[in-house]
Amino acid sequence: MAKILIVGGVAGGATVATRLRRLNEKDDIIMFERDEFVSFANCGLPYYLGGIIQSRDRLIVETIQGLKDKFNIDIRNFSEVIQIDRAHKTIKVKRVKTGEVYEESYDKLILSPGAKPIRIPTPGLDQANNVFSLRNIPDTDKIKAFFDKENPKTAVIIGGGFIGVEMAENFIEQKLSVTIVDLADQILAPLDFEIAKLAQNEMENNGVHFELGTVVSEFRNEGKELLLKNGKVLAADIIILAIGIKPENDLAIQAGLKVGPRGHIITTKTLQAIDEKTGEVTNDIYAIGDAIEVYDFVDDSKTAIALAWPANRQGRLVADHINDLKISYKGSLGSSVVKIFDYIAASTGNNEKTLMRKKVAYDVSYVTRGNHAGYYPGAEEIVIKIIFDSKDGKIFGAQAFGHEGTEKRIDVIATAIKGGLTIDDLPDLELCYAPPFSSAKDPVNIAGYAAGNVKAGIYKNVRHFEIDEIIKNGGFVVDSRTDLEYGIHHIEGAINIPQIEMRNRLGEFPEDKNTPIYLYCNIGHTGYLAVQILKGNGYTNIYNLAGGLRIYSAVYQFDKNEQLPEFHNPEERKATTMNPEIKKLKIDACGLQCPGPIMETFKAMEKMNAGDLLEVEATDSGFQRDVDKWSKSTGNVLVSMEKDGKIYRATLQKGAAPVENAGGQSAGGNANTTIVLFSGDLDKALASLIIAQGARAMGKSVTIFATFWGLNLLRKPNKVKVKKPFVEKMFGWMMPRGPKKMKISKMNFGGAGTLMIKGVMKKKNVRKLEVQLQDALDAGVNFIACTMSMDIMGIQKAELIDGIDYAGVASYLADSEKAGITLFI
Ligand SMILES: Cc1cc2nc3c(=O)[nH]c(=O)nc-3n(C[C@H](O)[C@H](O)[C@H](O)COP(=O)(O)OP(=O)(O)OC[C@H]3O[C@@H](n4cnc5c(N)ncnc54)[C@H](O)[C@@H]3O)c2cc1C
């Protein structure tokens, strides 16, 4: 019979104690816990504070009495182990309530003391009486008592890790105004920046504010105010300190056990501690859980992972080892998951940051797929990122963000990593499928296919953080989505050649087939199809934007100042929807990814009459922003926007008079505007586009009649192969090809003036000429290219952009007859 002592009675401690008993009925097992509670669910604490877990008792997985009765374990709570005497194999225990100290001998000693919250000395911190950490039930009780007494309205959470993020959500549930402050430029360190940004955006959609890349430099007014290093001052009724944890290693250090660079107890693969001086393995002392350093399963390097799975697994293995079973802790992957309101963020293995630090070469691949068959109601998207070795397909890690089933996909990949499978094995995984649960090709299979394509060199990736620079340097970036999608939003500087039209529009691509071409779409799939079309037509240097706009726009939101539409507008909605004259239609766009819901809205609106109401349900959170933007630009009215669980419900009213191509209405006004654009100068063309859009916004019908040099505005940016006489060809070479190449009328100074004006436009947020042109087209401005001047200047239709009309002066005169204003620019 052995006498086994355990320090710490929660995740690791309680697991090892019960397994020890299950393996040996006779051993003397004593578990010491400094606090009141053992075997409680610390992972549930934030949800208890948010009111989701309603009963405090539910947090206690097993009571002391229950453990004693079931497992005959001697549990001593309020008992702190304060010293280890390795020579005599004894420990000293302090009874917390009385201060009395006694000794206990051991045959085996297991340390599972966990980790404690870090507290950085900051001016005013000690005087603040509203600062809390969250580690255990007493911490939770303190926060709860503060809530009941002080009824806080504003919360600042310092630290955007798992606990900080969970607390933010739960405080929002309690209707607090919440700000997360973090030194890093992202939340949730196990995720890479762009996946963390998906999570952050979702939190912002739910009202959480962020102050990233800064720290608290002072707690003022007893914690009621926080001064940040970036100069901002935040009001805080309650503050949660969640900047990280450090291992509880006092006992280990005092006992001469070896600790790592960050203070974690070092152990062998059998989880035995090591003597600091001699480096010898201590046969009778084990350490587990948050307090220890572990091997990274990916490459056997040293790491530390403070999560419940490793603590539980290690607890069981130690009990096995003590009972002479053969064990080896194979290392940790750090698989983790966190709820982000209606979304889930999960990860496993190494992320890009870690691999860069380790100087390991890797490739990435993203897929965005429905969590189950799209035709079965309620399908929702999951974005999966896989990081792998392109040489042998080894999977380094994976991250995912999405809805139900997100963590299941990461679990499958974690299993694959532990099983030594490669990305080439992922398509071979035969996973469960029926429409409510998955697709015949599960997102994990698809992730394997996509990564396999990158590994096989079928296409090359360009990353979201490279694309702006490429555009700045004049790179050829093509949006391969439909023009409607492009119209809703696109990467500034990208031209639009839809994948479905690409085979017929190859003339718009650079003549030199070696020129780098960067394609993108929403999620990467259409871009991939476009890559294949170009490859099949002899282009050799093609890149596809990894993750598509889904990733790019998560990182670089199209309009940072954009306000989200108000969620609740029930009164207005009720008034409108109760009118019996008005026809109502409802469409279900749930499960469709951006821009699917907008496309469905557009299609439905086209069939409706002015004044009719359309209710659209969607699960894509981008829909909230897109439908607002779309309705504004098409003259339809967004009557209300509600959120019902995971569903975004928009009610739109079709505008009174249809606008061409928009399924909407004109805002009124009888007079039309016609502009004769004669000039090929940047400034003059800009003026005409701005006036045209302004007039359009006021509901006027607008025609821009482009003649002579004004035709240059409508030229395609790339060389188009057309047969022309030499003189006309010369003309073509001399004239600017499209808005990008146009110069200012005065003070051009060999191009310097034009560059300067473009710089000023950017600074002042004036959209580029080419973007303004597209905006004008999207807004329904009618462009007419003067056929007479085309003839004189030798410009052919193929050289001009799509979506314009061709007519002679008669047509212009007909329009100007109806016009209230006619301008000649
Ligand atoms: C709020 C919160 C939420 C979390 N959510 C998740 C989650 O969702 N998923 C996940 O995987 N992980 C989560 N974790 C982490 C997870 O709880 C830990 O990784 C796990 O509990 C570690 O187990 P452990 O045994 O090492 O330490 P703990 O479970 O912390 O237990 C250590 C115990 O040892 C006691 N102790 C320390 N020193 C002494 C001493 N000298 N004498 C006597 N007793 C001592 C401490 O009082 C403590 O009760 C969460 C943690 C917190 C705090």
Side-chain angles (χ1 to χ4, degrees), residues 560-713:
K560 291 207 166 54
N561 300 320
E562 199 178 7
Q563 292 285 319
L564 289 176
E566 290 283 317
F567 266 136
H568 299 291
N569 202 351
E571 284 316 307
E572 201 177 336
R573 177 163 186 251
K574 218 162 60 193
T576 327
T577 50
M578 275 166 58
N579 184 342
E581 301 288 302
I582 292 176
K583 274 203 205 128
K584 290 160 204 132
L585 189 78
K586 193 174 167 178
I587 57 168
D588 176 9
C590 292
L592 295 179
Q593 299 149 15
C594 165
I598 281 292
M599 303 287 278
E600 291 301 309
T601 308
F602 170 72
K603 281 192 248 162
M605 276 281 191
E606 266 193 325
K607 295 185 203 125
M608 292 166 56
N609 294 319
D612 287 352
L613 284 172
L614 176 67
E615 187 180 293
V616 190
E617 288 191 346
T619 41
D620 172 29
S621 67
F623 177 65
Q624 183 191 353
R625 187 176 267 119
D626 288 349
V627 75
D628 184 41
K629 226 174 172 183
W630 181 81
S631 54
K632 276 181 189 146
S633 69
T634 54
N636 298 297
V637 179
L638 180 60
V639 179
S640 72
M641 168 60 85
E642 293 161 54
K643 188 157 183 262
D644 182 0
K646 291 177 184 174
I647 294 175
Y648 294 88
R649 187 175 301 113
T651 305
L652 296 121
Q653 187 162 36
K654 177 147 173 166
V659 166
E660 258 172 68
N661 302 328
Q665 74 159 47
S666 155
N670 300 325
N672 297 334
T673 301
T674 56
I675 299 170
V676 180
L677 180 64
F678 176 80
S679 166
D681 298 326
L682 182 151
D683 40 350
K684 294 182 182 167
L686 181 65
S688 64
L689 289 175
I690 289 172
I691 295 167
Q693 289 176 73
R696 199 69 197 93
M698 289 166 69
K700 293 175 195 295
S701 166
V702 183
T703 301
I704 295 185
F705 187 75
T707 182
F708 283 95
W709 312 112
L711 285 169
N712 290 321
L713 177 71

Side-chain angles (χ1 to χ4, degrees), residues 391-697:
K391 289 196 293 297
D392 57 10
K394 174 179 169 147
I395 308 169
F396 293 128
Q399 297 157 45
F401 182 77
H403 289 278
E404 201 179 328
T406 298
E407 74 294 351
K408 164 184 154 177
R409 272 54 187 218
I410 290 298
D411 284 344
V412 171
I413 297 172
T415 310
I417 299 177
K418 284 229 161 165
L421 302 185
T422 70
I423 52 158
D424 300 314
D425 296 310
L426 296 182
D428 248 342
L429 297 179
E430 197 174 328
L431 304 170
C432 303
Y433 160 61
F437 306 105
S438 181
S439 296
K441 282 185 282 229
D442 187 87
V444 172
N445 298 139
I446 297 286
Y449 284 126
N453 279 344
V454 175
K455 176 173 170 258
I458 290 176
Y459 63 80
K460 291 182 277 191
N461 270 337
V462 57
R463 301 294 302 280
H464 56 276
F465 46 80
E466 296 171 314
I467 214 83
D468 283 357
E469 194 62 22
I470 288 169
I471 288 180
K472 211 171 98 192
N473 295 328
F476 194 80
V477 179
V478 179
D479 185 323
S480 61
R481 304 169 306 150
T482 62
D483 48 1
L484 178 66
E485 295 169 87
Y486 180 84
I488 293 170
H489 53 215
H490 58 260
I491 299 177
E492 223 172 296
I495 60 162
N496 180 217
I497 308 177
Q499 180 263 331
I500 41 172
E501 296 172 16
M502 225 164 244
R503 292 181 179 92
N504 299 325
R505 292 177 61 179
L506 291 170
E508 293 171 42
F509 286 87
E511 234 167 65
D512 177 359
K513 294 199 168 175
N514 254 329
T515 309
I517 297 171
Y518 305 91
L519 293 156
Y520 76 82
C521 62
N522 283 316
I523 56 172
H525 184 66
T526 304
Y528 159 54
L529 301 181
V531 168
Q532 297 307 92
I533 292 174
L534 292 183
K535 271 175 76 177
N537 282 284
Y539 291 87
T540 54
N541 205 0
I542 317 158
Y543 296 81
N544 188 20
L545 176 61
L549 271 189
R550 182 81 174 92
I551 294 299
Y552 177 92
S553 57
V555 176
Y556 313 104
Q557 277 175 19
F558 288 103
D559 182 356
K560 291 207 166 54
N561 300 320
E562 199 178 7
Q563 292 285 319
L564 289 176
E566 290 283 317
F567 266 136
H568 299 291
N569 202 351
E571 284 316 307
E572 201 177 336
R573 177 163 186 251
K574 218 162 60 193
T576 327
T577 50
M578 275 166 58
N579 184 342
E581 301 288 302
I582 292 176
K583 274 203 205 128
K584 290 160 204 132
L585 189 78
K586 193 174 167 178
I587 57 168
D588 176 9
C590 292
L592 295 179
Q593 299 149 15
C594 165
I598 281 292
M599 303 287 278
E600 291 301 309
T601 308
F602 170 72
K603 281 192 248 162
M605 276 281 191
E606 266 193 325
K607 295 185 203 125
M608 292 166 56
N609 294 319
D612 287 352
L613 284 172
L614 176 67
E615 187 180 293
V616 190
E617 288 191 346
T619 41
D620 172 29
S621 67
F623 177 65
Q624 183 191 353
R625 187 176 267 119
D626 288 349
V627 75
D628 184 41
K629 226 174 172 183
W630 181 81
S631 54
K632 276 181 189 146
S633 69
T634 54
N636 298 297
V637 179
L638 180 60
V639 179
S640 72
M641 168 60 85
E642 293 161 54
K643 188 157 183 262
D644 182 0
K646 291 177 184 174
I647 294 175
Y648 294 88
R649 187 175 301 113
T651 305
L652 296 121
Q653 187 162 36
K654 177 147 173 166
V659 166
E660 258 172 68
N661 302 328
Q665 74 159 47
S666 155
N670 300 325
N672 297 334
T673 301
T674 56
I675 299 170
V676 180
L677 180 64
F678 176 80
S679 166
D681 298 326
L682 182 151
D683 40 350
K684 294 182 182 167
L686 181 65
S688 64
L689 289 175
I690 289 172
I691 295 167
Q693 289 176 73
R696 199 69 197 93

